[in-house]
Amino acid sequence: MASPRSGTNRRADSARPASNRSARDSHPRTNGGAKAARPLAQPKAAKSSKGGERRLTRRAAILAVVVAILVLSLAYPAKEYLSQLNQIQQNRKNQVTQQQRIRDLQERKDRWNDDDYIREQARRRLQYVQPGELTYVVEDGDPGSTGPDGRPTDPKSRSERAWYDQLWSGLQHAK
């Protein structure tokens, strides 16, 4: 029994014609422990095509499930994070608006501390005058512009009234 490394040359064995080979040389179990020469690509390809594809498919399925779980577990926190960012931005805008309103109100409050502003407002709103000043009240020259109660009337409604109502209101206004 010769080992494959101890001196048998495989090229020499394969160079011998098939008729010179014995049945013992062609059978793998009787070859003295040496494996028979067989094409290596076909059995491995067949093995990899059956078991390897299943293993690859299983791995791909497991990877897809893991990725899906990660995406689903991160979707809600990401949504909350984005909504909170939006809310923070909206609150900052509201804060700027409120600060501007506070400044405006503070300016209005500070104006009321000025005596000249108070006098101006008293004149304009309450028709107050300083002692020694003369005031003139100008009324509308149109006698029909106010009703008997002193309220202004609509010019359209005045023209729709009868002539004697217009005459009577003019006489009452003249008194």
Side-chain angles (χ1 to χ4, degrees):
M1 284 192 205
S3 71
R5 294 183 186 207
S6 65
T8 40
N9 191 356
R10 285 193 170 185
R11 287 185 200 164
D13 288 342
S14 63
R16 285 187 290 168
S19 61
N20 292 343
R21 290 184 193 161
S22 65
R24 187 178 65 103
D25 288 341
S26 65
H27 198 286
R29 289 187 186 161
T30 58
N31 197 4
K35 293 184 178 178
R38 60 181 174 171
L40 297 176
Q42 187 179 10
K44 286 190 178 183
K47 187 176 185 180
S48 66
S49 67
K50 292 181 182 178
E53 282 185 20
R54 285 185 193 155
R55 197 174 307 149
L56 181 64
T57 305
R58 287 180 191 151
R59 286 181 185 166
I62 291 171
L63 180 64
V65 167
V66 168
V67 168
I69 290 171
L70 286 175
V71 167
L72 291 175
S73 66
L74 294 177
Y76 182 75
K79 178 187 166 212
E80 288 297 315
Y81 175 74
L82 293 176
S83 68
Q84 287 175 359
L85 282 179
N86 188 20
Q87 187 176 6
I88 288 170
Q89 186 179 23
Q90 186 65 31
N91 287 341
R92 286 183 180 158
K93 287 180 184 177
N94 290 344
Q95 183 181 14
V96 168
T97 304
Q98 290 296 324
Q99 286 175 346
Q100 180 63 38
R101 186 168 182 257
I102 289 170
R103 281 193 296 269
D104 292 344
L105 291 172
Q106 187 66 37
E107 287 175 9
R108 285 180 59 186
K109 180 184 168 197
D110 291 342
R111 277 188 274 167
W112 284 100
N113 290 332
D114 185 19
D115 290 336
D116 293 333
Y117 182 76
I118 293 173
R119 284 188 195 105
E120 177 189 335
Q121 292 301 313
R123 281 180 185 218
R124 187 171 62 89
R125 293 181 183 189
L126 304 173
Q127 282 80 35
Y128 279 17
V129 291
Q130 294 289 330
E133 288 182 342
L134 291 175
T135 59
Y136 295 98
V137 178
V138 178
E139 291 185 14
D140 191 8
D142 189 10
S145 64
T146 59
D149 56 355
R151 292 188 202 161
T153 59
D154 190 22
K156 193 175 199 181
S157 66
R158 186 181 53 174
S159 65
E160 292 174 357
R161 293 188 312 186
W163 66 271
Y164 49 84
D165 284 337
Q166 291 178 11
L167 177 66
W168 185 251
S169 67
L171 288 175
Q172 285 181 342
H173 185 57
K175 290 183 186 178

